[in-house]
Amino acid sequence: MGSSLSKTHPDLTISAAGGISSLLMADKITGILTPHMVPLDSRGGIDESELRRYVDWLIDRGVHGLYPNGSTGEFIRFTAEERRRIVQIVCHQAAGRVPVLAGAAEANVRETIAACEAYAGFGARAVAIVSPFYYRLGPESVYAYFREIALASPIDVTLYNIPMFASPIDVPTIQRLAEFERVVGIKDSSGDLAFMMRMIAAVRPSRPEFSFLTGWEAVLVPMLLIGADGGTHATSGVVPELTRMLFDLTAKRDLDQAMKLQYRLLELFDSMLYSADFPEGFRVAVTLRGFAMGDSRQPMSSTQQVDREKLRKVLHCLLADFGYVQPPAEGCPVRRNSEKERELSQIVGGVVEELRRRGVL
Amino acid sequence: MGSSLSKTHPDLTISAAGGISSLLMADKITGILTPHMVPLDSRGGIDESELRRYVDWLIDRGVHGLYPNGSTGEFIRFTAEERRRIVQIVCHQAAGRVPVLAGAAEANVRETIAACEAYAGFGARAVAIVSPFYYRLGPESVYAYFREIALASPIDVTLYNIPMFASPIDVPTIQRLAEFERVVGIKDSSGDLAFMMRMIAAVRPSRPEFSFLTGWEAVLVPMLLIGADGGTHATSGVVPELTRMLFDLTAKRDLDQAMKLQYRLLELFDSMLYSADFPEGFRVAVTLRGFAMGDSRQPMSSTQQVDREKLRKVLHCLLADFGYVQPPAEGCPVRRNSEKERELSQIVGGVVEELRRRGVL
Amino acid sequence: MGSSLSKTHPDLTISAAGGISSLLMADKITGILTPHMVPLDSRGGIDESELRRYVDWLIDRGVHGLYPNGSTGEFIRFTAEERRRIVQIVCHQAAGRVPVLAGAAEANVRETIAACEAYAGFGARAVAIVSPFYYRLGPESVYAYFREIALASPIDVTLYNIPMFASPIDVPTIQRLAEFERVVGIKDSSGDLAFMMRMIAAVRPSRPEFSFLTGWEAVLVPMLLIGADGGTHATSGVVPELTRMLFDLTAKRDLDQAMKLQYRLLELFDSMLYSADFPEGFRVAVTLRGFAMGDSRQPMSSTQQVDREKLRKVLHCLLADFGYVQPPAEGCPVRRNSEKERELSQIVGGVVEELRRRGVL
Amino acid sequence: MGSSLSKTHPDLTISAAGGISSLLMADKITGILTPHMVPLDSRGGIDESELRRYVDWLIDRGVHGLYPNGSTGEFIRFTAEERRRIVQIVCHQAAGRVPVLAGAAEANVRETIAACEAYAGFGARAVAIVSPFYYRLGPESVYAYFREIALASPIDVTLYNIPMFASPIDVPTIQRLAEFERVVGIKDSSGDLAFMMRMIAAVRPSRPEFSFLTGWEAVLVPMLLIGADGGTHATSGVVPELTRMLFDLTAKRDLDQAMKLQYRLLELFDSMLYSADFPEGFRVAVTLRGFAMGDSRQPMSSTQQVDREKLRKVLHCLLADFGYVQPPAEGCPVRRNSEKERELSQIVGGVVEELRRRGVL
């Protein structure tokens, strides 16, 4: 029986080797590309100097690329002119140090193509186009929309699937769109590992350089292990050191350390995501990292302002626990169970050592 | 910065080490426990001898345990008397070779407790109780229901969370229920990795012997990597050799081989799950493995019978491709892209070798 | 233009005239059929004498029929034997005064047919079979299931569509099932008026005696106005006088009074439905009408017991406001805005009178 | 018992009398306000002369108002400048003959307020603001968003609730927003009658002039009967004569005729809505009424173009059946069951007459 499994099954070798093989494909979009927020000044306008400082900071902390005008970047709350200005600033400041994946979805295909042309001119590596939103369109409409963009864009296009906010892009549609050379990747924010595997199994055999990026950092390490090429997610704008480290640890197959950090990232992620309407929790956290992000363009009720202050304290302690910021003057609550956990940790450590000694591991 | 991460963070060590530490906890429920189907005779009754033969076959192929009266076992389509009889047969035939996790949900708490008592008498290791279904109950009702069972059951209880069919059990409720010693584990069929991680983070520090089993084999390997203790899923009743191998490869951290097989399992799983109403596709496949499963108690339309025949052919080829059954006389279609895939596979193989030589891997 | 509309459009005449024409179809199931709860004694068993007293009370207050073993009647929390006993008691007590529509869904088709035979023997008018639940089956499976029952049942069958709890029955499936003479109606609990209209448009032209009953009393009057033949809903077990009055007022086309009461019923319904897991709020209310309903078989947490007491007070005042029960000794809160409302009511009354005088109405 | 019900219950008198009382409130927004599409020229730009001709045609056929930049009007596929131009044209062409309710949602509150100011200048009666979309915001955010607009807008504001596309506005939030004088109504496209009743019960007692408009024409007549003040829906841009007639018949309480037409409207509506991604089916139908609508800005695949042609034929026959357009040269299929239906119609007619004679009706 077993011998049947030792036969090489080509597509799976390829799938699992995605992250590895991609290291030698110079053009492939891989790694952590940060969909960053945009600092606003006291009048609600783009704070250009703070945005440039934030871009430098992210690059210094190891992000592999930048992604302006994503969901985290609140593209929909800016005007068309502002969206262009944001990409221009980011491309200029990045200055080729890292690639820029520019969110280019506009009111319709014509406007989107115009944005693609502009972003190509600014030096973006590729554009990212979210699936049509507001209306929930079916697969044929989604295909027709991206097809027209793929045919007319002067710059590489990545698809952006975020079914909680926009029309879903299903696997057969992705497979059809992968036939266009201009389409070079997909960002998927569903968080569904089996869906990611289905996409990879459908596209990678014929397009090994096609890039699969996850937008659900809660499961970044497992996504990389099943063959995703990288991630583009809000948390990398808060703790770029951590998401980069997760990527590197996974590439080196240091799973124990990677999983430890994945669990800690999940706690931070849940706190930012579920304590306020997205992406407000992330704005609070970026502020804690030392940036003047300004007030959201989405107004807040007085109840929300109180909740935001509570969230700020929680995030402050979480970030201090990582060592990324100084703890608050008033201190942080002791982490639950920590004594017991330490003790158990030692026991488990002993077990692992014993198992290794016996040759089980 | 980086140094802050080298601090030991106890609960994560524990989480990631779940599968490992559990090897030394004699009582912990771990591994692959098969929620098997029940063969029916020509009059629609339980085919006892075929069921016994199936139990032996599963044990011989390495399953770590058996799980009668699960969703795959169509517990709801049997009468209360039949459900008891099924557990009795399975416990008797297993004869202590592997533990039996017996599905014991009945019409109400009183009837469920009576079943628990009977199954304890038959020698089951524990019972599995699905969350209340039909009505969609809130967390307080779910808690109250399991609490009453936990207080009265003479046998260990595992919770069964399957939100697509039954009232969801959320993380705080799981945490509250884990305070009862009688509650020793949870099977989760949501397929959501982040949810599994949240459960583990909430319960494992205080209950290291609490068992986390995934019911979503599409992502079995990733689930084990993030710390799940095992799986209980329909596919293990079809290809028990494969699911056992996935478990063992993951325990040994042979991820390349594990992932390859995980991709192939996904293809088989999708074919069985999405080509017919659950669990009909699995019945077809078990029949192909050589068991006389009989006709479903859920009637089929003539259209469905035609579809079933098509599915049978697809599954026959998939199982033959694994080497588990002889290919059909009429042959199987050549797998798409296989030439190109083989070529790519060689390229990738070369890349990996090169990277290893350079010391990158 | 207008003249084109004066052409007779037959199916619509029929549709709108549903409730009316049905008065002359002796066998058609029409009116309010109460899916009643079952009183439990102190040991959790069926309280037969209280159930008989409740049946009498409901008939005395004008319900057109009784519906044991519905969702309100918690059929799933009783054993198969208890379900039979309930139907037997209800048929015996009704003694032909009103028709009995007996819930007969059992573990599988064979068991269901056996129940149908038994209920025919008890004198039930028809059985009601809920669509397959737990598993979410597709249209072909739903069709095949009901087809087999329709072919074998010795008693008329009504379908029961409750998509929030069971596999949905879509319009084409209903149309196919309406080809079986044994299938004589459908209860729909979706609450979707357009869906009800689609069913009526699809079936009534060829089966004018087919009965359409709504299970969503929140919109009972509008459902009757678009052609439904009646309703079968939990609230009729609490305030049978009111639901009967709504039916009669609508039949007489006294819409002003019917709508007034529909609004008040909605307030009562929302209080019972959304303040506790279904059907607990209805149990509280039936208790307030003077029946010893006992404790639910679904256990309650201590938090829920406190909530239940609060709900009891709210419902007591609502029922007292209708004049159905004496107000509580401690009194009820003054209804918000009542002064202003009274004033506005007078203004509106004047407007209507004025419009009538001018001939606008 | 009955006597308790004869007590005047003020808020219900008001609720049911909504449509009536509103006739004497000069400023209240009532009736059918058409969310019209925008004709595009061969280059995809706004076809101003055709838009003006369409506006005239709609007013001539009795619509009570116009609603540019709604979902039907594809506001999201136009640029901010185009949206302004559309409102300007429509206000200018309407020239005070009917009120204009201008869709004014822009990228953020500041841009939205600027649009409100412009539309006030153009002479719009009020603006309609869809709830925040793309992100799914919670009630507090929805409240804060509309609150800021209500405080700053120089023109009356109506809320637009369309939960399938945008963040839902729940009843408590509507109640809170109704405290702002600037907020004068809500359009609800959920199609849920009970939800409409809950809104009316919550707001009408304190704000009798607040307008409730349904966006779900499938149930227009029932919505008017439970107290809605009017409707604003895509179908009124296709058959304005029909939707106006439904409104008038309901106001006159000619329910038999109103229901007949409601059933026919449902058939037309379903054909337009479910045969293509919204609002493409409506564009096809408006073209059939004689307007050069141009091609959608959302591209179509070749499969969709074939489907569109089929839909065109179906809609042509449906519109010809109403007498609104000439039948196609190739003829239309005979309507199913029509013979039998006619026969049944006569029977039912006889029944009704008989019942009237007996005094039952």
Side-chain angles (χ1 to χ4, degrees):
Chain A
M1 258 321 88
S3 69
S4 71
L5 292 168
S6 63
K7 286 194 309 184
T8 300
H9 203 272
D11 61 323
L12 298 164
T13 307
I14 292 164
S15 301
I20 295 161
S21 66
S22 66
L23 295 180
L24 292 205
M25 293 181 195
D27 270 359
K28 191 171 187 177
I29 297 169
T30 63
I32 307 297
L33 295 97
T34 299
H36 59 82
M37 304 195 82
V38 175
L40 300 175
D41 61 29
S42 59
R43 285 162 315 169
I46 299 164
D47 184 336
E48 180 173 336
S49 64
E50 196 70 354
L51 176 54
R52 289 183 181 273
R53 196 169 71 89
Y54 186 34
V55 163
D56 284 347
W57 184 85
L58 288 168
I59 295 173
D60 288 353
R61 266 148 199 80
V63 304
H64 297 100
L66 292 164
Y67 179 2
N69 292 338
S71 299
T72 313
E74 301 174 284
F75 73 99
I76 201 167
R77 291 173 180 160
F78 290 93
T79 65
E81 291 69 32
E82 288 174 322
R83 280 190 287 271
R84 285 205 187 194
R85 183 70 188 130
I86 291 165
V87 175
Q88 191 176 32
I89 293 168
V90 170
C91 286
H92 183 261
Q93 191 67 20
R97 288 177 289 172
V98 297
V100 174
L101 186 59
E106 294 295 338
N108 53 60
V109 170
R110 186 161 61 181
E111 300 294 322
T112 295
I113 296 300
C116 291
E117 285 162 1
Y119 300 166
F122 297 156
R125 161 69 188 86
V127 291
I129 315 272
V130 68
S131 185
F133 54 90
Y134 190 71
Y135 306 109
R136 299 294 277 191
L137 302 182
E140 280 295 313
S141 291
V142 169
Y143 172 74
Y145 174 78
F146 282 119
R147 177 184 177 278
E148 197 154 312
I149 292 169
L151 291 175
S153 173
I155 181 173
D156 282 349
V157 172
T158 59
L159 314 173
Y160 179 11
N161 183 43
I162 182 162
M164 67 183 144
F165 293 157
S167 306
I169 320 181
D170 62 17
V171 174
T173 300
I174 293 161
Q175 201 164 12
R176 288 173 76 190
L177 289 169
E179 290 168 13
F180 295 99
E181 217 180 324
R182 262 294 175 232
V183 179
V184 300
I186 185 163
K187 169 184 177 180
D188 174 67
S189 290
S190 72
D192 181 342
L193 259 94
F195 181 77
M196 179 63 85
M197 291 172 72
R198 288 179 194 117
M199 289 196 293
I200 290 175
V203 172
R204 189 162 283 167
S206 55
R207 289 283 307 273
E209 84 291 4
F210 196 93
S211 179
F212 296 91
L213 305 167
T214 177
W216 202 244
E217 57 265 56
V219 291
L220 174 60
V221 171
M223 284 284 185
L224 294 171
L225 288 174
I226 54 110
D229 299 293
T232 161
H233 35 249
T235 303
S236 66
V238 174
V239 285
E241 312 88 337
L242 177 62
T243 50
R244 173 63 190 264
M245 196 177 299
L246 279 170
F247 184 81
D248 292 346
L249 289 168
T250 311
K252 286 191 301 184
R253 297 287 162 108
D254 181 351
L255 294 194
D256 289 339
Q257 188 64 11
M259 284 303 173
K260 251 189 232 187
L261 293 176
Q262 179 71 73
Y263 268 86
R264 292 184 68 187
L265 183 150
L266 177 63
E267 185 185 12
L268 176 64
F269 172 71
D270 284 353
S271 302
M272 293 188 292
L273 188 66
Y274 298 114
S275 304
D277 279 334
F278 184 81
E280 196 53 30
F282 294 83
R283 194 188 327 272
V284 174
V286 176
T287 304
L288 284 164
R289 293 305 303 267
F291 295 92
M293 300 305 289
D295 291 332
S296 173
R297 288 180 169 197
Q298 160 62 36
M300 268 186 284
S301 73
S302 48
T303 307
Q304 287 179 307
Q305 276 156 7
V306 172
D307 290 346
R308 192 185 197 277
E309 188 49 28
K310 279 185 214 152
L311 174 60
R312 202 188 58 75
K313 286 178 182 167
V314 169
L315 293 179
H316 196 156
C317 288
L318 278 174
L319 291 172
D321 197 39
F322 277 108
Y324 292 142
V325 302
Q326 291 298 317
E330 69 270 23
C332 289
V334 177
R335 291 177 69 84
R336 192 170 42 87
N337 286 332
S338 60
E339 263 314 306
K340 188 165 188 185
E341 281 168 12
R342 198 154 299 130
E343 203 177 287
L344 286 166
S345 169
Q346 289 168 355
I347 295 169
V348 171
V351 166
V352 173
E353 210 170 337
E354 174 65 18
L355 288 171
R356 286 223 172 90
R357 209 179 48 79
R358 295 193 207 168
V360 177
L361 291 180
Chain B
M1 259 319 93
S3 69
S4 70
L5 293 170
S6 62
K7 286 195 309 184
T8 301
H9 203 271
D11 61 324
L12 298 163
T13 308
I14 292 165
S15 301
I20 295 160
S21 66
S22 65
L23 295 180
L24 294 204
M25 292 181 196
D27 269 359
K28 191 170 187 176
I29 296 169
T30 62
I32 308 297
L33 295 97
T34 300
H36 60 81
M37 303 195 84
V38 175
L40 300 175
D41 61 29
S42 59
R43 286 164 312 170
I46 298 165
D47 184 337
E48 181 174 336
S49 64
E50 196 70 355
L51 176 54
R52 288 183 183 274
R53 194 168 73 88
Y54 186 35
V55 162
D56 284 346
W57 183 84
L58 289 168
I59 296 174
D60 288 352
R61 265 149 198 79
V63 304
H64 296 100
L66 293 164
Y67 178 2
N69 292 338
S71 299
T72 312
E74 301 174 284
F75 73 99
I76 202 166
R77 292 173 179 160
F78 290 92
T79 64
E81 290 70 30
E82 287 175 322
R83 280 190 287 271
R84 285 206 188 194
R85 182 70 189 131
I86 290 164
V87 175
Q88 192 177 31
I89 294 168
V90 171
C91 285
H92 183 261
Q93 190 67 19
R97 288 178 288 172
V98 297
V100 175
L101 186 59
E106 294 295 339
N108 52 59
V109 170
R110 188 162 59 181
E111 300 294 324
T112 295
I113 296 301
C116 291
E117 285 163 0
Y119 300 167
F122 297 156
R125 161 69 187 87
V127 292
I129 314 272
V130 67
S131 186
F133 53 90
Y134 190 71
Y135 306 108
R136 298 295 277 191
L137 301 182
E140 280 296 311
S141 291
V142 169
Y143 172 74
Y145 175 78
F146 281 119
R147 177 184 177 279
E148 198 153 313
I149 293 169
L151 291 174
S153 173
I155 179 172
D156 282 348
V157 173
T158 60
L159 314 173
Y160 179 11
N161 183 42
I162 182 162
M164 65 182 146
F165 293 158
S167 306
I169 320 181
D170 62 17
V171 174
T173 301
I174 293 160
Q175 201 164 14
R176 288 171 77 190
L177 290 169
E179 290 169 12
F180 295 98
E181 218 180 323
R182 262 294 176 230
V183 179
V184 301
I186 185 162
K187 168 183 177 180
D188 174 67
S189 291
S190 71
D192 182 343
L193 260 94
F195 181 76
M196 179 64 84
M197 291 172 72
R198 288 178 194 117
M199 289 195 295
I200 290 175
V203 173
R204 189 162 283 167
S206 55
R207 289 283 306 274
E209 83 290 4
F210 196 93
S211 180
F212 295 90
L213 305 168
T214 177
W216 201 244
E217 56 266 54
V219 291
L220 175 59
V221 172
M223 284 283 186
L224 294 171
L225 288 174
I226 54 108
D229 299 292
T232 162
H233 36 249
T235 303
S236 66
V238 173
V239 286
E241 312 88 337
L242 177 62
T243 51
R244 173 62 190 264
M245 196 178 298
L246 279 169
F247 184 81
D248 291 347
L249 288 168
T250 311
K252 286 192 299 185
R253 296 288 162 107
D254 181 350
L255 294 195
D256 289 339
Q257 188 64 12
M259 282 303 172
K260 253 189 231 187
L261 293 176
Q262 179 70 74
Y263 268 85
R264 292 184 69 188
L265 183 149
L266 177 62
E267 186 185 12
L268 176 64
F269 172 71
D270 283 353
S271 302
M272 294 188 292
L273 188 65
Y274 297 114
S275 304
D277 278 335
F278 183 81
E280 195 54 30
F282 294 84
R283 193 188 325 272
V284 174
V286 176
T287 304
L288 284 164
R289 293 306 302 267
F291 294 91
M293 300 304 290
D295 291 332
S296 172
R297 290 181 168 194
Q298 160 61 36
M300 267 186 287
S301 73
S302 48
T303 307
Q304 289 179 306
Q305 276 157 6
V306 171
D307 292 346
R308 193 186 197 276
E309 188 50 28
K310 279 185 214 153
L311 174 59
R312 202 188 57 75
K313 286 178 182 168
V314 169
L315 293 179
H316 196 156
C317 289
L318 279 175
L319 291 171
D321 198 40
F322 276 108
Y324 292 144
V325 301
Q326 291 298 316
E330 69 270 23
C332 289
V334 176
R335 291 178 70 83
R336 190 170 44 85
N337 286 333
S338 60
E339 263 314 305
K340 188 164 188 186
E341 281 168 12
R342 197 154 300 128
E343 203 177 288
L344 286 167
S345 169
Q346 290 169 354
I347 295 168
V348 171
V351 166
V352 173
E353 209 168 336
E354 174 66 18
L355 289 170
R356 285 225 172 91
R357 207 178 50 75
R358 295 192 207 168
V360 177
L361 290 179
Chain C
M1 260 316 93
S3 69
S4 70
L5 293 169
S6 63
K7 286 195 308 183
T8 302
H9 203 271
D11 61 323
L12 299 164
T13 307
I14 292 165
S15 301
I20 295 160
S21 66
S22 66
L23 294 180
L24 292 205
M25 293 180 195
D27 270 358
K28 191 171 187 176
I29 296 170
T30 63
I32 307 298
L33 295 98
T34 299
H36 59 82
M37 303 195 84
V38 175
L40 300 175
D41 60 28
S42 59
R43 285 163 313 170
I46 298 165
D47 184 337
E48 180 174 337
S49 64
E50 197 70 354
L51 175 54
R52 289 183 182 274
R53 195 169 72 88
Y54 186 32
V55 163
D56 284 347
W57 182 85
L58 288 168
I59 296 173
D60 288 352
R61 266 150 198 80
V63 304
H64 297 101
L66 292 164
Y67 178 3
N69 291 338
S71 298
T72 313
E74 300 174 284
F75 73 99
I76 201 165
R77 291 172 181 161
F78 290 93
T79 65
E81 291 69 32
E82 286 174 323
R83 281 191 286 271
R84 284 204 189 195
R85 182 69 189 131
I86 290 164
V87 175
Q88 191 176 31
I89 293 168
V90 171
C91 285
H92 182 262
Q93 190 67 19
R97 288 178 289 172
V98 297
V100 174
L101 186 59
E106 293 295 338
N108 53 60
V109 170
R110 186 161 61 181
E111 300 294 323
T112 295
I113 296 301
C116 290
E117 285 163 0
Y119 299 167
F122 297 156
R125 162 68 187 88
V127 292
I129 315 271
V130 68
S131 185
F133 54 90
Y134 190 71
Y135 306 108
R136 299 294 277 190
L137 302 182
E140 280 297 312
S141 292
V142 169
Y143 172 73
Y145 174 79
F146 282 120
R147 177 183 177 279
E148 198 154 311
I149 293 170
L151 291 174
S153 173
I155 180 172
D156 282 348
V157 173
T158 59
L159 315 172
Y160 179 12
N161 183 42
I162 182 163
M164 67 182 144
F165 293 157
S167 306
I169 320 181
D170 62 18
V171 173
T173 301
I174 292 161
Q175 201 165 12
R176 288 172 77 190
L177 290 169
E179 290 169 12
F180 296 98
E181 217 180 324
R182 262 293 175 231
V183 179
V184 301
I186 185 163
K187 169 183 177 179
D188 174 67
S189 290
S190 71
D192 181 343
L193 260 94
F195 181 77
M196 179 64 85
M197 292 172 71
R198 288 177 194 118
M199 289 196 294
I200 290 175
V203 172
R204 189 162 283 165
S206 56
R207 289 284 305 274
E209 84 290 5
F210 195 94
S211 180
F212 296 90
L213 305 168
T214 177
W216 202 245
E217 56 267 55
V219 291
L220 174 60
V221 171
M223 284 283 186
L224 294 171
L225 288 174
I226 53 110
D229 299 293
T232 161
H233 35 249
T235 303
S236 66
V238 174
V239 285
E241 312 88 337
L242 177 61
T243 50
R244 174 61 191 265
M245 196 177 299
L246 279 169
F247 184 81
D248 291 346
L249 288 168
T250 311
K252 286 192 300 184
R253 297 285 161 108
D254 181 350
L255 295 194
D256 288 340
Q257 189 63 13
M259 283 302 172
K260 253 189 231 185
L261 293 176
Q262 178 71 72
Y263 268 85
R264 293 184 67 188
L265 182 148
L266 177 62
E267 186 185 11
L268 176 64
F269 172 72
D270 283 354
S271 303
M272 294 188 292
L273 189 65
Y274 298 114
S275 305
D277 279 335
F278 183 81
E280 195 53 30
F282 294 84
R283 193 188 327 272
V284 174
V286 175
T287 304
L288 284 164
R289 293 305 304 266
F291 294 92
M293 300 306 289
D295 291 333
S296 173
R297 288 179 168 196
Q298 160 62 36
M300 267 185 287
S301 73
S302 47
T303 307
Q304 287 179 308
Q305 276 156 8
V306 171
D307 291 346
R308 193 186 198 276
E309 187 50 27
K310 278 186 215 152
L311 174 60
R312 202 189 57 76
K313 285 177 184 168
V314 169
L315 293 179
H316 196 156
C317 287
L318 279 174
L319 291 171
D321 197 38
F322 277 108
Y324 292 143
V325 301
Q326 290 299 316
E330 69 271 24
C332 290
V334 177
R335 292 177 69 84
R336 193 170 42 86
N337 285 333
S338 61
E339 263 314 305
K340 188 164 188 185
E341 281 168 12
R342 197 154 300 130
E343 203 177 287
L344 286 165
S345 169
Q346 290 169 354
I347 295 169
V348 171
V351 166
V352 173
E353 209 170 335
E354 175 65 18
L355 288 171
R356 287 224 171 91
R357 208 179 49 77
R358 294 193 208 168
V360 176
L361 291 180
Chain D
M1 256 324 88
S3 69
S4 71
L5 293 168
S6 62
K7 286 194 310 184
T8 301
H9 203 271
D11 62 324
L12 299 163
T13 308
I14 292 164
S15 300
I20 296 160
S21 66
S22 67
L23 295 180
L24 291 205
M25 292 180 195
D27 270 358
K28 191 172 187 176
I29 296 168
T30 63
I32 307 298
L33 294 98
T34 300
H36 59 81
M37 303 195 83
V38 175
L40 300 175
D41 61 29
S42 59
R43 285 163 314 170
I46 299 165
D47 184 336
E48 180 174 336
S49 64
E50 197 70 353
L51 176 55
R52 289 183 182 274
R53 194 168 73 87
Y54 186 34
V55 163
D56 284 346
W57 183 84
L58 288 168
I59 296 174
D60 288 352
R61 265 148 198 81
V63 304
H64 296 102
L66 292 164
Y67 178 3
N69 291 338
S71 299
T72 312
E74 301 174 283
F75 73 98
I76 202 166
R77 291 172 180 161
F78 290 94
T79 64
E81 291 69 32
E82 286 175 323
R83 281 190 286 271
R84 284 206 188 195
R85 183 69 188 131
I86 290 164
V87 174
Q88 192 177 32
I89 293 168
V90 171
C91 285
H92 183 261
Q93 191 67 20
R97 288 178 289 171
V98 297
V100 174
L101 186 59
E106 293 296 338
N108 52 60
V109 170
R110 187 162 60 181
E111 300 294 321
T112 295
I113 295 302
C116 290
E117 285 163 0
Y119 300 166
F122 297 156
R125 162 68 187 88
V127 292
I129 315 271
V130 68
S131 186
F133 53 90
Y134 190 71
Y135 306 107
R136 299 295 278 191
L137 302 182
E140 280 296 311
S141 291
V142 169
Y143 172 74
Y145 174 78
F146 282 120
R147 177 184 177 277
E148 197 152 314
I149 293 169
L151 291 174
S153 172
I155 181 173
D156 282 349
V157 172
T158 60
L159 314 173
Y160 179 11
N161 183 42
I162 182 162
M164 66 182 145
F165 294 157
S167 307
I169 320 181
D170 63 17
V171 173
T173 300
I174 293 161
Q175 200 164 16
R176 288 171 76 190
L177 290 169
E179 289 168 14
F180 296 98
E181 217 180 323
R182 263 295 176 230
V183 179
V184 300
I186 186 163
K187 169 183 177 179
D188 173 67
S189 291
S190 72
D192 181 342
L193 260 93
F195 181 76
M196 179 64 84
M197 292 172 72
R198 288 178 194 118
M199 288 196 294
I200 290 175
V203 172
R204 189 163 283 166
S206 56
R207 288 284 305 273
E209 84 291 4
F210 195 94
S211 180
F212 296 91
L213 305 168
T214 178
W216 202 244
E217 56 266 55
V219 291
L220 174 60
V221 172
M223 284 284 186
L224 294 171
L225 288 173
I226 54 109
D229 299 293
T232 162
H233 37 249
T235 303
S236 66
V238 173
V239 285
E241 312 89 336
L242 177 61
T243 49
R244 174 59 191 266
M245 197 178 298
L246 279 170
F247 184 80
D248 291 347
L249 287 168
T250 311
K252 285 192 302 186
R253 296 288 159 108
D254 181 350
L255 294 194
D256 289 339
Q257 188 64 12
M259 283 303 172
K260 252 189 230 186
L261 293 176
Q262 179 71 72
Y263 268 86
R264 292 185 67 188
L265 182 149
L266 177 63
E267 186 185 11
L268 176 64
F269 172 72
D270 283 353
S271 303
M272 294 188 293
L273 188 65
Y274 298 114
S275 305
D277 278 334
F278 184 80
E280 196 54 29
F282 294 84
R283 194 189 325 273
V284 174
V286 176
T287 303
L288 284 164
R289 292 305 302 267
F291 294 92
M293 300 305 289
D295 291 332
S296 174
R297 289 182 168 194
Q298 159 62 36
M300 268 185 286
S301 73
S302 48
T303 307
Q304 288 179 307
Q305 276 157 8
V306 172
D307 291 346
R308 193 185 196 276
E309 187 50 27
K310 278 186 213 152
L311 174 60
R312 202 188 59 76
K313 286 177 182 168
V314 169
L315 293 179
H316 195 157
C317 288
L318 278 175
L319 290 171
D321 197 39
F322 276 108
Y324 292 143
V325 301
Q326 291 298 317
E330 70 272 22
C332 290
V334 177
R335 291 177 69 83
R336 193 170 42 84
N337 285 332
S338 62
E339 263 313 307
K340 188 163 188 187
E341 281 168 12
R342 197 154 301 130
E343 202 178 288
L344 286 166
S345 169
Q346 289 168 354
I347 295 169
V348 172
V351 166
V352 173
E353 209 170 336
E354 175 65 17
L355 288 171
R356 287 226 171 89
R357 209 179 46 77
R358 295 193 207 169
V360 176
L361 291 178

